[in-house]
Amino acid sequence: LSEFMIGRVGLGIYFPESDGTVDPDRYDWTPALRDSVVRSAVRGFLAWSNFAAARDIPLSFHLEIHASLPTRYEPIDRPVSQEGLWIEDMFRPLVGYRGDAYSMTQEVANGVRARLGTHWGGLVIAVQNDSSSTGSFPDGLIAHARLGGPWFVIPVNNLRTTSATLDFYMEHEVTHLFWALDEYPANNAWWSCTFTTGYFDRPNLNSSIPVSNYCGWEEHCV
């Protein structure tokens, strides 16, 4: 569904909304907050379209918005290791059966691709935590992706920091759907310079572990 970042990319943006059934309902989406997430997605993905256009490469992103999908859980209050609970919960009504998160999201993303008529498909799952004191999940993680897709998760408040905008996190995380690896030390990140991945099975030569230029290659990028 997201093998090679060229052509038309269809992305569904989904907003899980806790209903208080299992976890206390602590955060609620507002139309303004949802709109801000969509605007950040547009700006973040447009950066890649512009990057590609400057190199005569066709790349465009096409969005499908789904507001307020109910779940019994409060997503930001669950560690990333448990995110399958609320992801399966929110997508079950869309696919019409009870399954595992990967199978269900594959079907949902493929539906997005079909409806938008794109080459590739993926899911952006936004998480409400605007007033969080930490800006992270209980395990300390923030925005993250399933390598190769079909989804990435992006809290609206990441580490309560001004060092990066939500636009940047959108721009960064979408590349993981297409097998891009992280290049810096982080929990659960793919940063070793010996790792290979992607359509061309390229090594992660731009990794900064343990020091800059350790892998013999240094190029500034997102």
Side-chain angles (χ1 to χ4, degrees), residues 6 13 17 19 60 86 101 114 155-156 179 186 210 212:
I6 284 179
I13 303 182
E17 187 72 89
D19 62 15
S60 58
W86 56 267
V156 70
W179 302 94
S212 181

Side-chain angles (χ1 to χ4, degrees), residues 127-141:
V127 170
Q128 222 294 48
N129 69 330
D130 62 338
S131 60
S132 168
S133 60
T134 62
S136 67
F137 291 94
D139 49 16
L141 298 181

Side-chain angles (χ1 to χ4, degrees), residues 43-156:
R43 291 189 294 261
F45 303 151
L46 183 60
W48 284 118
S49 294
N50 291 338
F51 180 90
R55 290 155 178 81
D56 296 322
I57 296 171
L59 176 62
S60 58
F61 294 86
H62 307 265
L63 306 182
E64 186 178 272
I65 315 303
H66 298 263
S68 300
L69 275 68
T71 172
R72 295 169 295 170
Y73 306 92
E74 183 63 84
I76 198 62
D77 288 338
R78 293 284 175 159
V80 171
S81 61
Q82 296 179 7
E83 71 181 10
L85 293 173
W86 56 267
I87 289 177
E88 293 167 11
D89 215 37
M90 64 184 287
F91 286 124
R92 188 172 299 134
L94 295 186
V95 299
Y97 63 83
R98 184 188 300 271
D100 64 277
Y102 179 72
S103 298
M104 296 168 75
T105 53
Q106 282 279 105
E107 184 167 334
V108 173
N110 197 39
V112 170
R113 176 169 64 171
R115 287 189 295 274
L116 297 180
T118 57
H119 301 99
W120 312 111
L123 310 178
V124 181
I125 306 177
V127 170
Q128 222 294 48
N129 69 330
D130 62 338
S131 60
S132 168
S133 60
T134 62
S136 67
F137 291 94
D139 49 16
L141 298 181
I142 51 170
H144 58 277
R146 190 183 191 282
L147 185 61
W151 78 78
F152 71 83
V153 173
I154 184 162
V156 70

